[in-house]
Amino acid sequence: MADTPRHAAEASPSDEEAFHIPDEIALALTEFAAVEELSRGDAICLILRDYLRVKGYLKGAPPV
């Protein structure tokens, strides 16, 4: 039987820890979050939302 990916909401903390962000990206993210006055999580969501919208994977108007 093939493994099926778990839903993101079911991810355990150990799954999250397995994701590694390269140092130069982590530093840029920290700076971006500070300049934009966002939490790190909100900064990641903003970056991903904008990227996915530009690439056509996310539809709809951006939040106001």
Side-chain angles (χ1 to χ4, degrees):
M1 177 189 277
D3 289 312
T4 56
R6 293 187 300 170
H7 188 274
E10 298 173 5
S12 70
S14 61
D15 291 337
E16 191 173 310
E17 293 168 359
F19 180 75
H20 173 72
I21 298 175
D23 291 343
E24 67 274 9
I25 294 174
L27 288 171
L29 176 62
T30 299
E31 183 177 355
F32 174 78
V35 169
E36 298 297 324
E37 298 181 353
L38 298 168
S39 70
R40 186 174 169 142
D42 286 344
I44 291 169
C45 288
L46 177 63
I47 292 164
L48 285 172
R49 183 183 311 118
D50 288 348
Y51 177 84
L52 293 171
R53 183 171 287 109
V54 166
K55 291 293 188 173
Y57 295 105
L58 185 62
K59 308 296 182 211
V64 184

